[in-house]
Amino acid sequence: TEFGFFIEGKLMHKAIQDIVKSVRQDVAIEKEIETLFNVDGKTVILKGRLDMEYGDTVIELKTTRLEITEPLESHLLQLQIYMVMALARYGILLYIARNGIITFYVSNEGNRWLLINPILKREEEINSIDMEKVRDLVVRFISDTNINRDECNHCIVREFCDIRGRVQSNSLPLDVFNGIESNTKGKT
């Protein structure tokens, strides 16, 4: 079942984090980060939780039943947003996938973003992102009245979530914006 796969994914995350922490005590696990934006006179808090952080590297763990040869676009965007919020220079997407443990590397070399894909043995420049682009994504997400993301189809809170329609609450579930929470203050 979907819920069983969700639990299995959480257990995999925990196991990997525990193994890493036992080897490197200086790795931050489940580190919460947030950034404030002013949107139409309201304060919007964008929150995230880094699976792991080591120095200036953000590590994002993903579990999937798919065979992975390239990172999913939404996962890559999530990692880039986390890197911007955490002021990190490097990022790692680590997939536990049908075809094994697959790792992709991202670096931000002064607004030149690179993706290193060991599976396809290539390095490529990817879309750059900065805090202003993160803010634009938040504004677009908040104002989108026709949200229809594939993530919603696999989300365990989809039965009682109003995200697909219009954002009406003060707090969105953490995984609605692909792992990023938006919280508006002063909204009626």
Side-chain angles (χ1 to χ4, degrees), residues 63-157:
T63 55
T64 180
R65 294 178 180 165
L66 303 173
E67 287 197 16
I68 297 291
T69 57
E70 294 189 73
L72 297 180
E73 190 175 319
S74 61
H75 294 167
L76 186 57
L77 178 61
Q78 178 186 11
L79 178 64
Q80 286 181 280
I81 291 171
Y82 282 170
M83 288 171 65
V84 168
M85 291 174 67
L87 304 175
R89 187 171 174 193
Y90 304 104
I92 298 172
L93 264 176
L94 191 142
Y95 284 93
I96 300 153
R98 176 175 290 200
N99 53 327
I101 297 175
I102 312 298
T103 308
F104 301 97
Y105 306 93
V106 175
S107 71
N108 176 8
E109 304 291 334
N111 287 333
R112 182 171 181 255
W113 289 77
L114 295 175
L115 170 66
I116 299 163
N117 183 333
I119 301 260
L120 301 178
K121 296 184 171 109
R122 73 174 184 221
E123 178 179 299
E124 63 184 287
E125 198 161 329
I126 55 177
N127 290 333
S128 107
I129 188 167
D130 58 19
M131 196 58 80
E132 189 59 34
K133 287 184 181 175
V134 172
R135 183 192 177 283
D136 292 345
L137 286 169
V138 169
V139 169
R140 194 172 78 214
F141 177 78
I142 289 171
S143 63
D144 190 349
T145 58
N146 295 308
I147 297 170
N148 186 13
R149 293 183 175 76
D150 185 51
E151 287 89 357
C152 292
N153 295 328
H154 305 290
C155 180
I156 64 166
V157 297

Side-chain angles (χ1 to χ4, degrees), residues 155-174:
C155 180
I156 64 166
V157 297
R158 73 180 176 277
E159 303 296 325
F160 51 88
C161 178
D162 66 354
I163 298 307
R164 286 187 191 216
R166 184 165 181 77
V167 176
Q168 298 171 350
S169 66
N170 286 344
S171 183
L172 304 177
L174 186 61

Side-chain angles (χ1 to χ4, degrees), residues 6-19:
F6 171 78
I7 296 298
E8 184 180 305
K10 291 292 182 190
L11 291 172
M12 290 282 227
H13 271 74
K14 177 88 171 98
I16 290 171
Q17 290 168 333
D18 287 350
I19 291 167

